[in-house]
């Protein structure tokens, strides 16, 4: 065994070029994998904390009725030891101060609230919720105080009690645009709520119980179990169990998009490295077959000879992985800390030990996968090669057993893909797509050689290149597939990044709302619009808000589904669709942020017997499992309204326009009971306060919500995320270009003997340069072009299957990758051939001398 290690290490030292290329290629891929996996963990952690701060807990249990003692005791028994709890009662009430009054959302909280996140006040950020429960005091949004014309220290009347304004709230858990309540927030102590006298039997109120589970508990699974068991134990009690991941659909959508994108990006970095080392290893095997024959002729068994190669691959892989782990652990956090200015507040880079361990295991495991083809390539008697004359253009054939010998490698990457993206379907589809692409590249390469062979009057240079490719088919296919797949993966993630950028970025053509106006009654809508015109303002994006319940789908009642116990995720989704509250609206035209993806927009008029037409958000339609032409029946104020689905819409929710999942063809809901909402855009900062005061005085029942501050926070968050997405895309570009350079440089460097033979046969230096430059320029261009086209197809399929709203698009940068790849192939060939051309033709006969001696 000691001799095997000695021979293995000596071979690595004597082939330092191969060793260096192998280590550097695998190192870059592994460092990219480690960086992106750690960044994925970091962003997941940050977004999860953000979502938890919105909900203020891991799980929220809410109900419209106070839990009985039996229900409360049962719920507490289900909670694991170490669970922290908090409570809140929410209700609407009129807040009065002096001669002014305003409808507000009152939140009565206990000392434990919030379990996540914190309140931010205008003056003192050290105040705790304990002060609310020990004093008859309140925390109010600053805008509300302005509307009521009170200051900090003054009193606000709620029901029968006077609450002193203790703090002005700037920010609070749950105070987000996508999760905002209609009405300004007023916080009081839970122990003080009875003093208001507002919570009487029959009052509209909501009771919420917040839970923070111990770290080792899977909060999602536990919340599902508690929800299912509570429903079975108390079937007549209506409730809602909300996990933080579902607290805000928009944040959940961003988190899902980022998680999938970074997981795929890490896989691409790993695949690119695999392509590079697969090519290098194949070339290395071709060179080392004669050395293996010598070793076997000296008495070694085939297994011992193969063991030498296994030792070499494992050694190189260990060196590369240890370097990647060291750099990831020691240097990357420091580098990312320099980018703290561009990252969201509270974002911390997590260097997960599990990621470093996975990086090490992947590197070593891939070594074993790569060594498996050795058993096929050494099945023949290698000793016979010692008695064959040197053949520079030795014919190597591609056959089924050789292809099957790489199946373990394919299975290895399949397992890694599934584990990385945490989905068998996505991982398998991604790996399968790459395999199909590789097969297509192989057929394209064969097709190119066939077409060139049909060219009767081809130049001598083309004939020379064609003969080389035909006689070394396996080598040619390895180069072509490696370059084309490198180009595919090189462009795949940047293409996906352009689509994600478009999805998260607010379109410049859309107006940013300054205020949202709610509770606009039908009879005052015209008066409001007239008054706003006197203020040089226009009510934009006005839309009806009609509360409704989904009663039936295709005339099939959902009443039984509401009572049925849901077990599977599919059943729970169906039940959620059936039991949720809907806000319906009607509109004759599309917003700029909407696009019809299936079907056609509403017709101008409908016949008397024709059902009203319905437009549904396409993602929501997928959740509802409905199709075009299906009939939906909603109950509005006790009366059924049936419509037929006319189209699906794609909604850009980052437009911040008041969009609705379900739209009816007007004038279906014209006489339905409800209210209106709208936005005010481009309100100057110095006019906001006076506008709110004037509006509250003129229209006291209308709620006005200043959303500009919250929107700025959200846009800042999205901008930081987009920076990370675009930056990470360049990692795949760097790794891809490195692979192109490695393959081109190493392949041209192996042409030393062939170049010397051409010199002996009378070819001059100019002709030899021309042969290789034409070959590698053509390969670089054709592989880059084919890879780019297939990358668009693959990215489009992946985007539509996994990212829903993302649509990839070409950019000038991606088109320039064709030129960059071509130039790299050309100039790398030129550089490496310069060294090859400096060798003497006499070196061609050095092997004969070595054998004869």
């Amino acid at each position: 065994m000691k001799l095997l290690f000695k021979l293995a290490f000596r071979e690595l030292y004597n082939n330092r070029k191969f060793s260096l290329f192998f280590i550097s290629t695998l190192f870059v891929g592994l460092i990219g994998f480690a960086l992106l996996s750690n960044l994925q963990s970091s962003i997941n952690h940050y977004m999860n904390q953000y979502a938890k701060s919105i909900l203020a807990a891991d799980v929220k249990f809410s109900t419209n009725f106070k839990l009985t003692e039996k229900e409360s005791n049962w719920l507490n028994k289900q909670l694991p030891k170490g669970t922290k709890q908090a409570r809140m009662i929410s209700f609407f009430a009129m807040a009065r101060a002096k001669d002014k009054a305003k409808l507000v959302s009152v939140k009565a909280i206990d000392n434990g609230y919030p379990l996540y996140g914190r309140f931010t006040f205008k003056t003192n950020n050290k105040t705790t919720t304990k002060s609310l429960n020990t004093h008859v005091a309140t925390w109010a949004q600053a805008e509300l105080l302005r509307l009521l014309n009170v200051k900090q220290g003054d009193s606000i009347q709620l029901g029968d009690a006077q609450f002193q304004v203790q703090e002005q709230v700037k920010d609070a858990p749950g105070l987000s645009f996508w999760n905002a309540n209609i009405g300004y927030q007023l916080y009081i102590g839970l122990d003080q709520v009875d003093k208001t006298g507002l919570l009487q039997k029959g009052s509209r109120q909501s009771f919420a119980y917040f839970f923070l589970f111990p770290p080792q508990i899977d909060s999602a699974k536990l919340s599902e179990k508690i929800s299912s068991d509570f429903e079975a134990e108390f079937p007549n009690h209506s409730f809602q169990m909300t996990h933080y991941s579902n607290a805000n659909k928009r944040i959940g959508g961003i988190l899902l998009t980022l998680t999938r994108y970074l997981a795929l990006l890490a896989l691409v970095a790993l695949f690119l490295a695999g392509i590079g080392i697969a090519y290098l290893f194949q070339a290395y095997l071709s060179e080392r077959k004669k050395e293996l024959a010598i070793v076997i002729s000296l008495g070694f068994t085939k297994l011992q000879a193969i063991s030498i190669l296994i030792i070499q691959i494992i050694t190189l892989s260990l060196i590369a992985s240890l370097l990647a782990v060291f750099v990831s652990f020691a240097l990357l956090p420091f580098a990312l800390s320099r980018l703290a200015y561009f990252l969201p507040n509270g974002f911390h880079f997590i260097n997960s030990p599990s990621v470093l361990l996975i990086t090490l295991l992947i590197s070593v495991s891939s070594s074993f996968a790569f060594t498996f083809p050795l058993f096929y390539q050494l099945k023949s008697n290698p000793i016979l090669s010692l008695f064959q004359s040197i053949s520079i253009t030795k014919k190597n054939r591609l056959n089924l057993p050789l292809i099957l010998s790489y199946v373990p490698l394919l299975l290895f990457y399949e397992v890694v893909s599934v584990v990385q993206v945490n989905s068998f379907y996505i991982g398998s589809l991604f790996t399968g797509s790459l395999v199909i692409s590789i097969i297509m590249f192989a057929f394209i390469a064969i097709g190119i050689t066939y077409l060139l062979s049909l060219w009767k009057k081809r130049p001598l240079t083309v004939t020379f290149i064609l003969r080389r490719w035909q006689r070394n088919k396996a080598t040619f296919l390895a180069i072509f597939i490696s370059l084309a797949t490198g180009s595919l993966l090189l462009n795949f993630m940047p293409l996906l990044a352009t689509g994600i950028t478009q999805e998260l970025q607010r379109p410049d053509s859309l107006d940013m709302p300054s205020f949202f106006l709610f509770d606009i009654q039908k009879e005052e809508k015209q008066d409001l619009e007239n008054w706003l015109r006197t203020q040089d303002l226009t009510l934009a994006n006005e839309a009806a808000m009609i509360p409704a319940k989904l009663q039936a789908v295709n005339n099939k009642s959902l009443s039984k589904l509401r009572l049925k116990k849901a077990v599977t995720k599919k059943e729970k989704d169906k039940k959620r669709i059936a039991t949720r509250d809907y806000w319906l609206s009607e509109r004759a035209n599309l917003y700029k942020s909407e696009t019809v993806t299936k079907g056609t927009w509403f017709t101008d008029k409908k016949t008397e017997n024709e059902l009203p037409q319905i437009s549904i958000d396409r993602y929501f339609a997928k959740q509802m499992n409905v199709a075009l032409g299906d009939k939906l029946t909603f109950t509005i104020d006790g009366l059924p309204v049936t419509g037929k689905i006319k189209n699906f819409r794609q909604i850009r929710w980052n437009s911040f326009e008041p969009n609705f999942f379900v739209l009816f063809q007007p004038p279906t809901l014209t006489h339905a009971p409800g209210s209106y909402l709208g936005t005010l855009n481009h309100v100057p900062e110095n006019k906001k306060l006076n506008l709110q005061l004037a509006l509250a005085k003129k229209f006291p029942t209308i709620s006005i919500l200043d959303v500009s501050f919250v929107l700025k926070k959200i846009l800042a968050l999205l901008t930081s995320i987009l920076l990370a997405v675009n930056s990470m895309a360049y990692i795949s570009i760097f790794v891809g270009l490195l692979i192109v350079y490695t393959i081109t440089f190493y392949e041209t460097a192996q042409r030393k003997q062939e170049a010397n033979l051409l010199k002996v046969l009378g070819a001059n230096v100019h002709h030899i340069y021309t042969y290789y430059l034409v070959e590698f320029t053509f390969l670089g261009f054709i592989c880059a072009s084919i890879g780019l086209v297939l990358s668009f197809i693959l990215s489009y399929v992946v985007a539509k299957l996994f990212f829903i709203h993302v649509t990839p698009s070409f950019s000038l940068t991606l088109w320039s990758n064709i030129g960059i790849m071509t130039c790299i192939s050309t100039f790398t060939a030129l550089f490496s051939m310069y060294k090859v051309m400096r060798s003497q033709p006499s070196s061609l006969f050095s092997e004969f001398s070595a054998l004869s001696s």
Side-chain angles (χ1 to χ4, degrees):
M1 182 60 68
K2 185 177 180 180
L3 179 59
L4 294 179
F5 277 93
K6 185 177 180 180
L7 290 173
F9 294 151
R10 180 178 294 175
E11 278 292 318
L12 290 179
Y13 180 78
N14 292 335
N15 292 274
R16 292 185 292 277
K17 181 173 62 178
F18 162 77
S19 302
L20 181 61
F21 271 109
F22 192 99
I23 292 173
S24 61
T25 302
L26 185 56
F27 166 76
V28 171
L30 291 176
I31 199 66
F33 176 81
L35 168 63
L36 295 166
S37 297
N38 278 323
L39 186 63
Q40 178 187 351
S41 300
S42 303
I43 291 181
N44 281 348
H45 176 75
Y46 174 77
M47 298 300 289
N48 283 333
Q49 292 301 116
Y50 188 87
K52 289 176 181 179
S53 69
I54 289 176
L55 189 65
D58 288 331
V59 173
K60 175 185 175 183
F61 181 94
S62 55
T63 173
N64 292 328
F65 303 95
K66 187 176 181 179
L67 293 180
T68 64
E69 184 178 355
K70 180 181 178 182
E71 291 170 337
S72 182
N73 291 336
W74 182 93
L75 184 60
N76 286 325
K77 288 180 181 179
Q78 311 306 310
L79 304 176
K81 186 177 180 180
T83 299
K84 295 181 180 180
Q85 300 186 44
R87 289 189 300 149
M88 173 193 290
I89 300 177
S90 303
F91 56 94
F92 286 96
M94 293 301 295
R96 304 178 186 276
K98 301 175 183 178
D99 60 339
K100 299 181 182 297
K102 193 68 180 173
L103 183 69
V104 296
S105 173
V106 181
K107 296 184 180 299
I109 55 179
D110 67 2
N111 293 339
Y113 185 88
L115 299 175
Y116 288 103
R118 64 187 182 89
F119 287 91
T120 303
F121 305 112
K122 192 172 182 179
T123 55
N124 181 16
N125 286 322
K126 295 183 179 179
T127 308
T128 64
T129 51
K130 186 177 181 180
S131 63
L132 288 181
N133 287 282
T134 54
H135 300 86
V136 186
T138 183
W139 298 342
Q141 284 185 263
E143 294 84 359
L144 176 62
L145 298 183
R146 294 171 190 161
L147 294 175
L148 295 175
N149 195 24
V150 298
K151 300 178 182 178
Q152 193 168 334
D154 293 345
S155 294
I156 293 177
Q157 183 175 349
L158 282 176
D160 301 331
Q162 292 281 341
F163 288 82
Q164 184 184 34
V165 178
Q166 192 178 74
E167 294 290 351
Q168 297 183 54
V169 178
K170 291 177 62 179
D171 199 3
L175 197 59
S176 124
F177 173 72
W178 285 313
N179 207 46
N181 292 283
I182 299 177
Y184 290 104
Q185 312 293 299
L186 205 63
Y187 297 89
I188 64 174
L190 190 64
D191 295 340
Q192 311 296 332
V193 71
D194 289 338
K195 296 178 181 179
T196 65
L198 294 173
L199 298 187
Q200 304 296 328
K201 187 175 182 180
S203 300
R204 185 179 176 86
Q205 53 198 296
S206 175
F207 297 85
Y209 302 81
F210 301 87
F211 305 114
L212 189 159
F213 298 133
Q216 68 273 15
I217 300 297
D218 188 330
S219 58
K221 289 184 178 179
L222 181 58
S223 64
E224 287 186 10
K225 183 179 184 304
I226 293 176
S227 177
S228 178
D229 292 347
F230 187 89
E231 185 179 21
E233 188 74 17
F234 307 102
N236 297 322
H237 194 130
S238 177
F239 71 96
Q240 184 176 7
M241 181 75 81
T242 306
H243 188 257
Y244 70 84
S245 60
N246 297 318
N248 189 297
K249 293 297 184 183
R250 181 60 184 170
I251 295 299
I254 293 174
L255 178 60
L256 181 63
T257 297
L258 285 174
T259 300
R260 288 176 171 175
Y261 173 79
L262 290 172
L264 289 176
L265 190 55
L267 276 179
V268 166
L270 196 62
F271 277 130
L272 282 168
I275 291 168
I277 61 177
Y279 166 76
L280 291 172
F281 188 59
Q282 183 268 341
Y284 180 72
L285 283 180
S286 299
E287 290 182 5
R288 300 276 73 79
K289 288 192 72 173
K290 193 171 292 294
E291 283 79 354
L292 288 174
I294 295 174
V295 169
I296 294 174
S297 67
L298 294 175
F300 284 76
T301 64
K302 283 188 179 181
L303 182 59
Q304 288 175 320
I306 292 175
S307 298
I308 295 174
L309 289 174
I310 294 176
I311 292 171
Q312 291 173 341
I313 299 301
I314 292 177
T315 300
L316 296 176
S317 300
L318 280 174
I319 293 173
S321 58
L322 290 174
L323 284 173
V325 167
F326 172 77
V327 171
S328 177
F329 185 79
L331 299 181
L332 289 180
F334 173 78
L336 288 174
S337 66
R338 305 298 94 187
L339 300 175
Y341 176 79
F342 301 100
L343 297 173
N345 291 329
F347 181 88
H348 300 286
F349 181 79
I350 299 175
N351 216 332
S352 173
S354 61
V355 171
L356 301 180
L357 180 61
I358 291 172
T359 302
L360 186 64
L361 290 176
I362 284 177
S363 177
V364 177
S365 300
S366 62
S367 304
F368 288 99
F370 279 122
T371 54
F372 186 83
L374 290 172
F375 292 95
Y376 170 77
Q377 295 194 31
L378 296 177
K379 67 182 181 63
S380 59
N381 187 358
I383 299 179
L384 295 177
S385 63
L386 292 175
F387 304 100
Q388 295 173 350
S389 60
I390 295 178
S391 177
I392 302 302
T393 58
K394 184 182 67 174
K395 200 170 185 178
N396 45 32
R397 297 182 180 278
L398 189 71
N399 49 48
L400 183 60
L402 177 60
I403 295 173
L404 292 178
S405 68
Y406 284 92
V407 169
L409 183 60
L410 174 63
L411 294 177
F412 165 76
Y413 276 118
E414 161 70 8
V415 172
V416 173
S417 300
V418 170
V419 172
Q420 178 66 15
V421 300
N422 196 28
S423 168
F424 178 80
Y425 172 67
I426 296 177
S428 300
L429 187 59
F430 183 68
T431 305
S433 299
L434 285 180
V435 172
I436 292 173
S437 299
I438 289 173
I439 294 173
M440 290 178 63
F441 292 145
F443 279 106
I444 291 172
I446 295 172
I448 289 173
T449 57
Y450 175 75
L451 291 176
L452 288 177
S453 65
L454 298 179
W455 187 2
K456 300 300 182 182
K457 298 182 180 180
R458 54 181 177 266
L460 180 61
T461 301
V462 176
T463 301
F464 174 79
I465 295 172
L466 179 62
R467 290 287 183 266
R468 155 178 283 283
W469 290 351
Q470 290 175 333
R471 294 173 181 175
N472 297 274
K473 188 174 292 184
T475 302
F476 165 65
L477 287 178
I479 298 171
F480 190 95
I481 291 172
S482 299
L483 289 175
T485 309
S487 173
L488 167 69
L489 297 177
L490 169 72
N491 296 289
F492 171 70
M493 294 315 296
L495 268 170
L496 211 53
T498 60
I500 292 175
T501 299
Q502 293 171 4
E503 167 64 9
L504 298 183
Q505 207 169 38
R506 188 184 71 88
D508 294 332
S509 60
L510 299 179
D511 293 330
M512 171 77 77
S514 300
F515 291 100
F516 262 63
L517 273 59
F518 300 96
D519 297 327
I520 305 171
Q521 302 305 311
K522 293 181 180 180
E523 57 271 15
E524 63 182 354
K525 179 172 169 289
Q526 188 61 51
D527 292 339
L528 172 65
E529 291 177 341
N530 294 336
W531 180 82
L532 286 174
R533 277 194 287 271
T534 66
Q535 307 295 315
D536 296 325
L537 293 171
T538 302
L539 184 65
N541 303 319
E542 59 183 73
M545 291 183 64
I546 312 297
K549 283 279 190 181
L550 182 61
Q551 185 65 30
V553 176
N554 291 326
N555 300 324
K556 185 177 180 181
S557 176
L558 301 180
S559 56
K560 292 183 179 179
L561 182 60
R562 294 191 181 99
L563 300 175
K564 183 181 178 182
K565 181 180 177 181
V567 178
T568 66
K569 184 179 183 301
K570 188 175 181 180
E571 290 174 345
K572 291 178 180 178
D573 289 341
K574 285 184 177 180
K575 186 168 184 176
R576 191 180 300 114
I577 293 294
T579 57
R580 64 166 289 167
D581 294 322
Y582 287 82
W583 287 101
L584 306 181
S585 191
E586 61 180 14
R587 202 181 329 125
N589 59 293
L590 285 167
Y591 286 156
K592 292 181 181 178
S593 58
E594 298 173 313
T595 306
V596 173
T597 58
K598 197 173 183 179
T600 57
W601 187 242
F602 299 146
T603 54
D604 294 336
K605 295 181 180 180
K606 67 182 184 70
T607 61
E608 185 176 348
N609 297 325
E610 185 183 9
L611 288 174
Q613 298 168 5
I614 298 176
S615 176
I616 298 185
D617 170 62
R618 68 166 182 165
Y619 180 64
F620 190 63
K622 186 176 180 180
Q623 289 182 314
M624 295 180 69
N625 193 28
V626 293
L628 294 181
D630 284 353
K631 299 176 184 178
L632 302 181
T633 301
F634 291 91
T635 302
I636 302 175
D637 197 28
L639 298 175
V641 177
T642 302
K644 181 183 290 187
I645 299 176
K646 178 71 172 179
N647 63 72
F648 296 150
R649 288 169 294 133
Q650 177 175 316
I651 302 174
R652 296 287 300 276
W653 294 102
N654 53 340
S655 66
F656 307 118
E657 293 176 326
N659 299 98
F660 291 82
F661 285 126
V662 181
L663 287 176
F664 269 83
Q665 176 189 25
T668 307
L669 307 178
T670 301
H671 302 292
S675 60
Y676 284 84
L677 64 82
T679 64
L680 298 179
N681 304 333
H682 306 299
V683 179
E685 199 67 34
N686 59 352
K687 293 184 178 181
K688 284 186 176 181
L689 178 58
N690 291 334
L691 176 66
Q692 293 180 79
L693 294 173
L695 186 66
K697 184 177 181 179
K698 185 73 174 177
F699 303 95
T701 60
I702 295 178
S703 297
I704 179 171
L705 185 63
D706 186 353
V707 296
S708 57
F709 172 73
V710 177
L711 293 185
K712 287 177 183 177
K713 290 202 313 179
I714 294 170
L715 288 176
L717 171 65
L718 295 182
T719 301
S720 300
I721 292 171
L722 288 174
L723 177 66
V725 168
N726 291 323
S727 299
M728 293 305 101
Y730 286 106
I731 291 180
S732 66
I733 293 177
F734 173 76
V735 177
L737 293 179
L738 177 67
I739 299 306
V740 173
Y741 171 80
T742 299
I743 293 172
T744 306
F745 186 90
Y746 196 84
E747 178 62 25
T748 52
Q750 305 312 303
R751 306 288 180 88
K752 180 179 178 180
Q753 287 186 326
E754 184 179 85
N756 286 327
L757 180 60
L758 290 173
K759 291 179 187 178
V760 171
L761 295 176
N764 59 41
V765 173
H766 172 73
H767 288 144
I768 299 175
Y769 268 124
T770 301
Y771 294 152
Y772 295 125
L773 287 179
V774 169
E775 178 181 0
F776 284 97
T777 299
F778 176 77
L779 280 176
F781 175 78
I782 197 69
C783 291
S785 303
I786 295 171
L788 179 61
V789 173
L790 282 183
S791 68
F792 180 78
I793 297 173
L794 179 60
S795 62
Y796 187 86
V797 171
V798 169
K800 293 306 175 185
L801 288 176
F802 307 147
F803 296 100
I804 306 299
H805 298 294
V806 174
T807 301
S809 61
F810 278 114
S811 65
L812 183 62
T813 304
L814 294 175
W815 284 112
S816 65
N817 283 341
I818 296 178
I820 293 173
M821 271 194 66
T822 304
C823 290
I824 288 178
S825 298
T826 301
F827 287 106
T828 303
L830 184 65
F831 173 71
S832 57
M833 285 308 300
Y834 173 74
K835 293 186 176 182
V836 171
M837 297 305 294
R838 292 178 62 185
S839 63
Q840 298 299 319
S842 57
S843 63
L844 182 65
F845 307 101
S846 59
E847 187 172 356
F848 288 114
S849 301
L851 290 174
S852 61
S853 60

